[in-house]
Amino acid sequence: MTPVALVRLRGQACGQPAHPSPATWQHGGVTAATHSPLFPQAPDSADAVLDGLDPEQREVATALHGPVCVLAGAGTGKTRAITHRIAYGVRAGILQPSSVLAVTFTNRAAGEMRGRLRQLGAAGVQARTFHSAALRQLQYFWPKAIGGAMPRLVDRKVQLVADAAAACRIRLDRGELRDTTGEIEWAKVTQTVPADYGPAAAKAGREAPRDPAEIAQLYAAYEDLKRERGVIDFEDVLLLTVAILQDRHDIAEQVRSQYQHFVVDEYQDVSPLQQRLLELWLGERDNLCVVGDASQTIYSFTGATPDHLLDFRIRHPGATVVKLVRDYRSTPQVVHLANGLLAQARGRAADHRLELISQREPGPEPVYTEYTDEPAEAEGAARRVRELLDSGIPAAEIAVLFRTNSQSETYEQALADAGIPYQLRGAERFFDRPEVRKAGIALRGAARFGGNDSLLDGAVDLPSQVRAVLSGEGWTPEPPAGSGAVRERWESLAALVNLAHDFAAAKPGATLGDLVAELDERANAQHAPTVQGVTLASLHSAKGLEWDVVFLVGVAEGMIPITYARTDEQIEEERRLLYVGVTRAREHLHVSWSLARSPGGRPNRRPSRFLDGLRPGSTGAAGRTAAGGAGGVERGHTSRPGVAAPRRTQRTVARCRVCGRTITDPGEMKLMRCDDCPSDMDEGLYERLREWRAEQARRSGQPAFCVFTDRTLMAIAETGPDDERDLARIPGVGMRKLTRYGADVLAICAGREPGGEEDED
């Protein structure tokens, strides 16, 4: 099948500016962490921590007291904003590092946060996952609260669930075993006991893998089995910590005296159990900053809910709300597709979506490709990856993303056949790999006894010393042929060699001992260097990552949305999952699907409904204007009898629809274009609107601009709205004027005579 659209790839490596840019936030100085220097110097003062932040990010960084809610769209620099917030507070002497607890959802994200804080001169701040923070507290307080040794923590509960099923004489196949384990995890994080599982699952609209009564029986047997064996699971870590903090006020106060300021990243993914733990950590205080985006809620099947994020202002009326919508990651073309996906969304999360505004230079349009079958789709992706590699784009800047892990094998084979190195996302952590651990031991030994190590004879600088040491561990100047385990080990060692080059360039005169110390710091923070290889990952595991080039594969009905997504809520979560995939791309985005599963199969598939109206040649329903789309700041207030609440203020961010430049002038914002950009206004329509306005002003006895200003009439004449929805989107047309004048204006735009009837105020 011939591709629907093709683009010419530029030789410039993705993500690298074509020319230097001024170091200001208006001109691209604010970027994602991926593009920041590898070993930056720590800022020399608290104020220097704020350098390079845009106005909204600076609001986040300086809002150090009271509840703060940051609504941050994809690619808007949320991690940058909150790490600079913590660092600014520490460097200004407002926050004590040991009194801050920052929590997130993955070890990788926590490690990245610790690494950034260290680079900003704010070492000592605790950045952990919910489970890691709770486990440390549980281990410390168990002897005092419970007594004796703490039960052993089991890494995987699947075997325990299998044993519980055997005890109940219930046969589970592999899929049912996995799904039943997931149901038990969901029940525990939503604080549902076995006896209440059936009604709770029905209320939540969950489709149990077996009869709910059987799941409840298995759940109860699983809990009994854990008690008999003296073990606990990861959910128990949270449940037991919550129980101790609820029952032992002295322990709760001890924790609260230690941690006085809390930051929660990815707040849209908080479960009811995690929210309860957070409330117990806080007590009666409100020094809390939460960051999230309801449009990236993709883990509701695990018990995550965006309600805590969306209801934050209700629970904390005095909260400051900052909206980040400036997208520094993706080109306007990628952002346009992402906004288009959400514009068709429905539901509560969609009502609070953020409309992103790209801050990057224009790039290529997304490429949409249809294939005959899945192997052809995988081979097509591999061919394009090879072209990208030949054009100079590093393999580590390319990702292939799919809906389910079962799709991975086809793409692994296609890349291997093409001789393209790849890495599977979700595999063993970098510093836990055997070859990396052995390399660390060898480097440490060489640093200690370097003068007597013949390997270092002739090695004149740090990079050559590292190359010499790692050559004894299997590193070679040229990569081994093919793929597989040998190539993966080489890639790990090559990442250490590249890190040594970067470290020496950033710190001239650094020794092998200095590099070993840096590796130790990185291992503690799980701040891994880049491994060269195309990333293969599921959409769920790609959350929080980004690449110059992204291939979204298998974007067909039955795969996304997945077949078992039937309710409106499930369908909308699938849409958000695709949105997350789209927003992983910085510059090049390839979207593909196949008509059949295997060669010669029935071509009965069709592209995902989510692409309707967005891909070339398709039609679909028009989207809606984002309810909370504009960036800016809303100051909180505490209501008091007889005192009027202050008006909320917003900084409006807009871009010219012709040239794309950021505009702030109110008149230009009304037209959504710069004054000196060409106008496509219908002059005849503009004159008819002016005549109608003059008659309305005469009848009402008020100045003409009170009906509509000249700018608003120009915007109407340029837009030519077809219905009330289109008309309402034009700045200057509020609900009152839409009700009063809408019918007349739409009639004039359609070439008809207005009704002529005047409504009363």
Side-chain angles (χ1 to χ4, degrees):
M1 183 68 67
T2 302
V4 173
L6 295 173
V7 297
R8 184 179 299 277
L9 300 176
R10 291 176 285 183
Q12 181 77 26
C14 290
Q16 303 303 316
H19 50 79
S21 300
T24 59
W25 67 266
Q26 297 98 325
H27 295 91
V30 181
T31 61
T34 308
H35 297 286
S36 61
L38 189 58
F39 297 98
Q41 296 297 317
D44 57 9
S45 66
D47 286 342
V49 173
L50 304 178
D51 290 347
L53 299 182
D54 70 28
E56 290 78 32
Q57 291 171 342
R58 184 177 285 249
E59 288 284 353
V60 175
T62 55
L64 295 174
H65 299 289
V68 178
C69 178
V70 184
L71 301 177
T76 56
K78 68 177 180 65
T79 306
R80 177 186 178 90
I82 58 175
T83 51
H84 280 68
R85 177 184 189 270
I86 296 170
Y88 176 71
V90 169
R91 300 292 297 276
I94 299 171
L95 304 179
Q96 292 300 314
S98 60
S99 73
V100 180
L101 177 59
V103 288
T104 186
F105 285 83
T106 66
N107 287 315
R108 181 197 59 77
E112 180 185 358
M113 196 176 292
R114 287 193 293 271
R116 292 205 201 185
L117 288 169
R118 182 165 64 93
Q119 292 171 351
L120 291 170
V125 173
Q126 292 292 307
R128 299 187 172 275
T129 65
F130 270 101
H131 283 91
S132 173
L135 180 59
R136 282 171 61 90
Q137 293 175 21
L138 190 63
Q139 290 170 329
Y140 183 81
F141 290 112
W142 185 275
K144 180 178 180 180
I146 310 296
M150 196 182 97
R152 179 174 62 87
L153 179 64
V154 292
D155 291 334
R156 297 175 69 249
K157 58 175 68 69
V158 171
Q159 186 56 54
L160 272 173
V161 176
D163 293 345
C168 296
R169 299 188 178 183
I170 297 175
R171 294 178 61 87
L172 298 176
D173 62 31
R174 186 175 178 180
E176 289 174 328
L177 181 60
R178 180 193 64 235
D179 293 344
T180 298
T181 302
E183 286 303 292
I184 291 174
E185 291 174 347
W186 172 82
K188 298 186 76 167
V189 300
T190 56
Q191 303 176 79
T192 302
V193 298
D196 295 337
Y197 169 78
K203 183 178 180 181
R206 297 183 72 83
E207 292 191 16
R210 299 288 291 252
D211 182 271
E214 285 187 324
I215 300 294
Q217 182 185 1
L218 288 167
Y219 180 10
Y222 168 80
E223 292 297 312
D224 290 340
L225 203 57
K226 283 200 291 102
R227 280 190 289 271
E228 290 173 12
R229 298 181 181 181
V231 297
I232 59 175
D233 60 27
F234 277 100
E235 288 72 41
D236 290 330
V237 170
L238 299 183
L239 285 164
L240 289 167
T241 306
V242 164
I244 289 174
L245 295 178
Q246 284 181 159
D247 295 343
R248 293 289 300 267
H249 297 292
D250 57 328
I251 293 177
E253 287 306 314
Q254 191 172 342
V255 172
R256 291 166 192 162
S257 67
Q258 168 70 48
Y259 296 118
Q260 324 233 329
H261 302 270
F262 296 86
V263 177
V264 184
D265 194 12
E266 304 289 2
Y267 193 55
Q268 77 279 352
D269 291 332
V270 166
S271 70
L273 180 56
Q274 290 164 333
Q275 175 64 22
R276 180 60 186 142
L277 178 59
L278 178 61
E279 290 167 354
L280 288 166
W281 282 340
L282 273 167
E284 298 300 318
R285 299 165 301 171
D286 62 1
N287 282 328
L288 171 65
C289 174
V290 301
V291 190
D293 178 10
S295 296
Q296 296 188 68
T297 305
I298 58 173
Y299 293 106
S300 65
F301 62 92
T302 67
T305 170
D307 289 346
H308 304 300
L309 175 67
L310 299 178
D311 293 338
F312 193 83
R313 264 312 261 283
I314 297 173
R315 296 195 312 276
H316 302 278
T320 296
V321 178
V322 185
K323 297 177 182 178
L324 305 182
V325 297
R326 304 177 201 259
D327 188 323
Y328 298 98
R329 174 188 300 159
S330 305
T331 63
Q333 287 74 14
V334 174
V335 167
H336 178 71
L337 176 56
N339 286 337
L341 281 171
L342 292 188
Q344 300 177 13
R346 297 292 182 271
R348 192 175 183 215
D351 290 340
H352 293 79
R353 69 192 183 281
L354 299 167
E355 189 149 357
L356 301 177
I357 303 171
S358 175
Q359 305 297 296
R360 293 194 55 179
E361 293 297 317
E365 292 290 338
V367 178
Y368 300 87
T369 312
E370 185 174 276
Y371 293 93
T372 55
D373 51 64
E374 288 184 9
E377 186 177 3
E379 290 167 8
R383 275 195 310 274
R384 292 192 176 183
V385 169
R386 171 53 64 193
E387 293 170 1
L388 292 164
L389 295 176
D390 292 343
S391 74
I393 296 177
E397 291 298 344
I398 303 173
V400 178
L401 308 182
F402 33 76
R403 174 62 179 84
T404 66
N405 288 320
S406 62
Q407 296 168 269
S408 174
E409 185 177 357
T410 304
Y411 290 89
E412 290 179 56
Q413 187 63 53
L415 292 174
D417 290 346
I420 298 170
Y422 64 86
Q423 56 177 327
L424 287 173
R425 183 71 200 162
E428 197 171 24
R429 292 191 296 185
F430 181 82
F431 287 105
D432 292 337
R433 297 176 186 177
E435 65 271 18
V436 174
R437 296 170 71 175
K438 285 184 63 180
I441 293 171
L443 290 169
R444 186 171 286 104
R448 188 175 303 165
F449 306 110
N452 301 316
D453 194 334
S454 60
L455 272 176
L456 300 183
D457 291 346
V460 297
D461 56 15
L462 177 59
S464 61
Q465 290 175 339
V466 172
R467 289 195 298 270
V469 172
L470 296 188
S471 65
E473 301 299 321
W475 178 83
T476 56
E478 294 297 324
S483 58
V486 173
R487 178 62 183 251
E488 288 179 7
R489 285 195 294 272
W490 184 89
E491 293 286 359
S492 297
L493 298 177
L496 293 175
V497 171
N498 292 335
L499 184 70
H501 279 274
D502 293 333
F503 189 69
K507 300 183 183 241
T511 66
L512 200 53
D514 295 330
L515 177 64
V516 168
E518 173 67 23
L519 289 175
D520 288 340
E521 291 271 11
R522 283 175 164 258
N524 291 332
Q526 284 300 325
H527 185 190
T530 300
V531 176
Q532 288 300 322
V534 174
T535 300
L536 292 175
S538 70
L539 288 167
H540 281 101
S541 62
K543 177 78 168 62
L545 303 174
E546 58 186 77
W547 297 270
D548 284 340
V549 185
V550 168
F551 289 81
L552 293 177
V553 298
V555 188
E557 284 292 305
M559 191 57 71
I560 187 162
I562 199 78
T563 305
Y564 53 75
R566 296 187 178 92
T567 67
D568 291 343
E569 291 81 4
Q570 291 169 338
I571 295 294
E572 288 306 318
E573 181 142 335
E574 292 289 300
R575 187 194 307 275
R576 295 194 294 270
L577 190 56
L578 183 58
Y579 170 80
V580 166
V582 168
T583 54
R584 299 311 94 195
R586 297 195 196 104
E587 185 167 358
H588 297 282
L589 179 63
H590 298 258
V591 183
S592 64
W593 59 92
S594 56
L595 298 177
R597 179 175 182 178
S598 56
R602 292 182 58 190
N604 55 1
R605 292 180 174 176
R606 63 174 294 269
S608 170
R609 71 190 74 172
F610 300 144
L611 299 178
D612 290 348
L614 299 174
R615 62 184 175 86
S618 66
T619 59
R624 301 172 300 160
T625 303
V633 184
E634 296 177 2
R635 303 293 181 192
H637 67 277
T638 303
S639 298
R640 299 195 304 273
V643 179
R647 292 176 62 86
R648 294 180 182 178
T649 60
Q650 278 193 336
R651 284 192 180 93
T652 302
V653 182
R655 296 179 75 82
C656 173
R657 56 188 169 85
V658 179
C659 70
R661 183 178 67 83
T662 301
I663 52 178
T664 56
D665 177 75
E668 292 183 340
M669 289 173 64
K670 189 162 288 189
L671 294 175
M672 290 306 293
R673 65 170 175 80
C674 308
D675 274 333
D676 53 359
C677 279
S679 169
D680 54 358
M681 184 176 67
D682 183 333
E683 296 286 351
L685 175 57
Y686 178 64
E687 288 304 318
R688 291 195 299 276
L689 287 169
R690 282 174 56 88
E691 292 171 4
W692 165 84
R693 182 185 64 174
E695 178 60 21
Q696 291 295 321
R698 185 190 62 77
R699 290 185 183 183
S700 61
Q702 59 183 345
F705 68 81
C706 291
V707 180
F708 284 120
T709 65
D710 286 346
R711 290 272 185 175
T712 299
L713 292 187
M714 290 175 66
I716 294 171
E718 289 185 357
T719 306
D722 293 323
D723 53 33
E724 287 190 353
R725 181 169 49 197
D726 291 340
L727 182 58
R729 290 175 179 159
I730 297 174
V733 182
M735 185 54 65
R736 185 180 68 83
K737 291 188 178 182
L738 182 66
T739 301
R740 185 172 187 180
Y741 302 125
D744 278 4
V745 171
L746 291 172
I748 295 170
C749 291
R752 302 192 305 269
E753 288 296 320
E757 295 181 3
E758 180 185 358
D759 297 331
E760 295 298 326
D761 281 334

